[in-house]
């Protein structure tokens, strides 16, 4: 059996994802599609609207055969670490190809850009540093550096969000010299950041926005998602009483910031360059998450960067922990969130040759990485009514596995 | 001008407290009554039902001339440290007498017990240690040790709660060799722990219990409190939207315990002897504060001890902080919560000879003790709706001073 990997967040799983999985199967000719998925918190520093188990179930009903969790130290991170964690996870599971969507849509462009990048790496680093010193945010500085060193070209535009992510994947595969074939498919409809839904293919952003504004599943949403996602979104609300968004977490992060010392705050991942002082000062007069973000935001501190910092404050994640756990070029384990019969057969075949353990149930003796996952999950569910919390948290220890 | 000190919690200020203040004035012949009062959290490890500023106002309307705050490192503590912090605060303000209620009602009995205690201190310590080793809680072991060494006598029963507190006060005064005359008045009605209200004198416990059960001011409550307290209780609810109780804090302490590592938990004041493991384990399946307490409680871990621990978890107070701040025999400052004209005149007279600064408004550069006070206050108000929180927290920096 041959497997193709996909790197996803499924927040929520929609028709565009169905298309992606179909195309991945076609392009890779693989027997098994393995998705590595962010857990409770996402790359752009947001809580997932429904929990990872619900998102897993929707994916397994729509062509994905195995869902594994992207460990927290890589999930809420810039594209480089996000790519590293994802690729290393998929590598452990023995994928032979990786399929990702991009604006470019041509794999050879990514390979060419990689060689261009290797050639000009020093020049890129220097340009990046200069822009950072000028007060630009990292994404801005990086984008400018790609353009000014001509690593970004007309055929491979490295200012487009999916090209940037794809480039990180290809860079990781080639840097680690992995025998994984990168495959890309062109994203034709609906940009990453599109705000409104039109037709049956919509961005996850626009679906979340509509869901949050209307606080119900509208026809325009259900047109853009498969039935299994509709079911999971509905079921989650009945089990949890809400769909997650930053607003719900405001009182918890506010409480935490107000009861940590400056020194303790400065140890948290993402609280850099004296941000602890700004956090404490602004905390005195804020009434909502958005108000706080507006008060903190500057040219250098982008919305995404600040949201990631708030995730780490919420989950009490230290710089030291992230440093230790994200540095090695080998992951300590692979955590399975769910699989179908095909996935089960593939795991059975692959297990013997894997170099790290596969984890399904969480036992007593935990790796520091699992301890972070547990804290992140506890923080994620913290906003729910106590009884709902207990039921949903149990899945962490004993996840529901789908084999029908 | 001469001042007499009283050591209080006023949770809430009731008719028994009016009587105490009157008797203190009579017995001491002082011009000024100074109350040292716990702030947001009380000696038995509970949040005060209304905030310290509201309790201060009620006291100033009923014969108290100055209210000063008992610093947090002494407030949520066993009687010895509670007494130490209170007496040292009052000493800085130059009181010449201290008046406290007790079951005994005879000052000479306390003095005699102190000398008896000094004589038998070693014997007491050994007996105490033996009972602790046998698994008794500290209050139990201490009570048994007093009885078995005959320090507790028929005339001075050291198993009675107010006698124990009074004995701690007298012990502190005599140990530090302070020129403060202890005066005691007999508590005739309503024991410390009485649960129900009868007549115009009721225990604060019974008032709180009725308030919490009925969630309104009943006639039996208003019969037992002065008008100013009624007003403050009503006004606080309209400003804060609630009266504080442990139930409101459950989700915050639960969240904190679930997102701290075992090692971090073990640094918190009160998390002793491996309690961090019990905390983490029990946290998985609890839905309310009382349920959690029932699961944690043992012979050794009394309700009060566990409640104190939860206050320190809520306020993020470390053992190290308490050790450093509660050890010196001199306080860094005295913090005034309110005074009337008499109090103002007394402070004016006393100020020149005081060895430590008087603090009213909180400025920029803070003493570590004030930083803890600020955290405690933030934690106290954390459960309120955001806008109410902002208004009430402002009093911390710029307290309302009553001089009419």
């Amino acid at each position: 059996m041959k497997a193709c990997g996909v790197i996803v967040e499924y927040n929520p799983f929609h028709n565009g994802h169905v298309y992606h999985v179909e195309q991945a199967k076609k392009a890779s000719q693989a027997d098994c599609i393995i998705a590595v998925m962010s857990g409770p918190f996402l790359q752009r520093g947001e809580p997932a609207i429904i929990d990872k188990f619900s998102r897993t179930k929707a994916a397994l009903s729509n062509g994905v055969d195995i869902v594994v969790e992207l460990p927290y130290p890589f999930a809420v991170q810039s594209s480089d670490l996000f790519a590293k964690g994802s690729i290393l996870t998929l590598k452990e599971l023995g994928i032979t190809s990786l399929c990702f969507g991009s604006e470019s849509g041509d794999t050879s462009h990514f390979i060419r850009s990689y060689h261009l990048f290797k050639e000009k790496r020093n020049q890129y680093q220097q340009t990046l540093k200069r822009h950072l010193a000028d007060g630009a945010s990292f994404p801005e500085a990086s984008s400018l550096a790609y353009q000014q060193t001509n690593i970004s070209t007309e055929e491979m535009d490295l200012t487009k969000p999916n090209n940037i992510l794809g480039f990180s994947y290809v860079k990781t595969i080639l840097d680690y010299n992995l025998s994984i074939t990168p495959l890309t498919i062109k994203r034709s409809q609906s940009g990453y950041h599109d705000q409104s839904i039109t037709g049956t293919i919509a961005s996850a952003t626009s679906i979340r926005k509509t869901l949050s504004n209307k606080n119900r599943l509208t026809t325009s949403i259900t047109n853009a998602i498969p039935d299994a996602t509709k079911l999971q979104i509905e079921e989650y609300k009945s089990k949890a009483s809400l769909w997650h968004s930053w607003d719900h977490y405001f009182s918890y992060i506010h409480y935490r910031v107000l009861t940590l010392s400056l020194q303790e705050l400065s140890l948290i991942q993402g609280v850099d360059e004296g941000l602890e002082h700004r956090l404490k000062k602004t905390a005195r007069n804020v009434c909502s998450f958005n108000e706080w973000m507006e008060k903190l935001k500057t040219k250098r501190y982008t919305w995404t960067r600040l949201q990631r910092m708030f995730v780490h404050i919420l989950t009490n994640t230290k710089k030291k922990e992230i440093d230790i756990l994200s540095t090695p070029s080998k992951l300590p384990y692979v955590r399975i969130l769910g699989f179908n019969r095909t996935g089960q057969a593939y795991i059975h075949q692959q297990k013997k040759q894997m170099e790290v353990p596969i984890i399904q149930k969480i036992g007593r003796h935990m790796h520091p990485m699992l301890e972070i996952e547990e804290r992140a999950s506890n923080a994620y569910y913290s906003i729910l009514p106590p009884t709902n919390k207990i039921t949903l948290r149990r899945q962490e220890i004993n996840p529901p596995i789908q084999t029908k």
Side-chain angles (χ1 to χ4, degrees), chain A:
Chain A
M1 283 176 93
K2 231 175 55 170
C4 171
V6 290
I7 297 171
V8 304
E9 301 213 297
Y10 294 161
N11 186 38
F13 188 91
H14 57 59
N15 291 343
H17 297 129
V18 178
Y19 175 78
H20 174 211
V21 173
E22 282 167 4
Q23 293 301 309
K25 268 197 178 141
K26 212 193 260 177
S28 67
Q29 295 291 310
D31 314 287
C32 177
I33 298 290
I34 307 179
V36 58
M37 186 180 81
S38 312
F41 298 99
L42 307 176
Q43 205 235 333
R44 297 174 63 76
E46 274 164 15
I49 52 166
I50 57 175
D51 74 1
K52 58 190 178 195
F53 301 108
S54 310
R55 281 143 61 219
T56 295
K57 287 178 204 157
L60 293 177
S61 302
N62 284 282
V64 176
D65 301 301
I66 302 173
V67 180
V68 289
E69 184 167 12
L70 175 60
Y72 179 91
F74 299 98
V76 187
Q77 290 282 5
S78 61
S79 59
D80 278 0
L81 274 175
F82 181 82
K84 177 182 172 181
S86 301
I87 303 280
L88 290 182
T89 303
L90 291 169
K91 181 213 112 188
E92 287 303 332
L93 288 162
I95 57 160
T96 51
S97 60
L98 174 83
C99 183
F100 58 90
S102 66
E103 290 84 2
S104 144
D106 187 330
T107 311
S108 67
H109 296 167
F110 284 90
I111 310 281
R112 260 208 296 282
S113 290
Y114 174 76
H115 292 295
L116 213 52
F117 175 74
K118 267 190 91 169
E119 225 172 81
K120 300 184 173 184
R121 203 186 280 249
N122 286 338
Q123 206 186 329
Y124 164 81
Q125 294 290 0
Q126 280 165 14
T127 319
L128 179 74
K129 261 188 202 163
R130 206 179 58 234
H131 288 298
L132 286 174
D134 285 352
S137 68
F138 185 87
E140 265 176 354
S142 169
S143 177
L144 286 168
Y146 279 136
Q147 288 171 70
Q148 287 161 8
T149 54
N150 296 318
I151 299 171
S152 180
T153 61
E154 206 173 313
E155 60 175 30
M156 184 70 230
D157 183 349
L158 283 173
T159 66
K160 296 257 194 290
N162 291 287
N163 282 348
I164 297 170
L165 265 177
F167 183 62
S168 299
Y169 302 153
V170 172
K171 199 145 61 85
T172 309
I173 290 173
L174 297 174
D175 275 348
Y176 283 93
N177 203 16
L178 305 176
S179 39
I180 295 172
T181 310
L183 304 167
T184 190
I185 50 167
K186 197 174 172 68
R187 287 173 66 108
S188 41
Q189 287 177 282
S190 289
Y192 194 76
H193 299 305
D194 280 2
Q195 302 285 313
S196 63
I197 306 177
T198 43
T200 58
I201 301 285
S203 73
T205 308
S206 66
I207 293 170
R208 287 198 301 276
K209 209 180 161 80
T210 310
L211 197 63
S212 142
N213 286 343
K214 307 277 182 188
N215 200 26
R216 66 186 173 83
L217 282 166
T218 62
T219 317
S220 70
I221 296 174
T222 51
N223 282 344
I225 58 176
D227 287 347
T229 302
K230 179 171 177 280
L231 182 72
Q232 289 305 323
I233 291 180
E234 278 168 345
E235 266 193 7
Y236 190 78
K237 178 101 168 226
S238 77
K239 280 188 288 186
S241 85
L242 52 79
W243 295 312
H244 297 245
S245 74
W246 262 123
D247 286 337
H248 294 113
Y249 293 93
F250 170 70
S251 57
Y252 290 85
I253 50 172
H254 195 227
Y255 160 70
R256 180 152 253 153
V257 166
L258 287 175
T259 55
L260 287 183
S261 69
L262 283 168
Q263 201 264 338
E264 286 175 310
L265 260 180
S266 72
L267 302 177
I268 303 276
Q269 171 77 6
V271 183
D272 301 317
E273 303 160 9
L275 256 179
E276 65 273 21
H277 297 279
R278 271 175 83 80
L279 273 167
K280 281 272 190 189
K281 212 180 136 190
T282 49
R284 282 187 203 132
N285 289 302
V286 288
C287 290
S288 73
F289 182 73
N290 270 313
E291 193 191 348
W292 205 356
M293 289 288 287
E294 291 292 351
K295 283 197 173 152
L296 285 168
K297 204 186 58 178
T298 63
K299 192 168 141 64
R300 181 187 291 262
Y301 303 132
T302 62
W303 197 272
T304 301
R305 179 173 171 184
L306 291 169
Q307 282 197 152
R308 281 189 198 129
M309 170 196 74
F310 273 131
V311 172
H312 300 308
I313 289 175
L314 183 71
T315 59
N316 185 27
T317 305
K318 313 294 185 306
K319 289 167 184 163
K320 219 170 122 188
E321 293 177 301
I322 295 282
D323 284 353
I324 292 172
L325 293 170
S326 67
T327 308
S329 57
K330 190 173 203 56
L331 298 176
Y333 59 82
V334 171
R335 185 175 180 192
I336 307 247
L337 294 176
F339 47 73
N340 60 17
R341 284 216 181 277
T342 308
Q344 191 173 29
Y346 181 81
I347 292 168
H348 187 75
Q349 163 202 297
Q350 204 62 25
K351 222 171 187 171
K352 301 147 208 161
Q353 29 193 321
M354 277 180 66
E355 292 176 8
V356 300
I358 285 188
I359 289 184
Q360 285 178 43
K361 300 189 185 197
I362 294 182
R364 262 172 162 256
H365 301 291
M366 297 217 294
H367 190 275
M369 187 108 97
L370 268 178
E371 251 181 68
I372 293 196
E373 302 291 1
E374 204 194 22
R375 286 203 323 255
S377 161
N378 285 332
Y380 180 74
Y381 291 127
S382 64
I383 56 173
L384 306 187
T387 40
N388 309 35
K389 207 179 327 193
I390 291 180
T391 318
L392 288 166
R393 281 187 65 246
R394 278 208 192 108
Q395 303 177 101
E396 280 297 322
I397 302 154
N398 204 358
I401 299 285
Q402 183 172 339
T403 51
K404 57 169 189 260

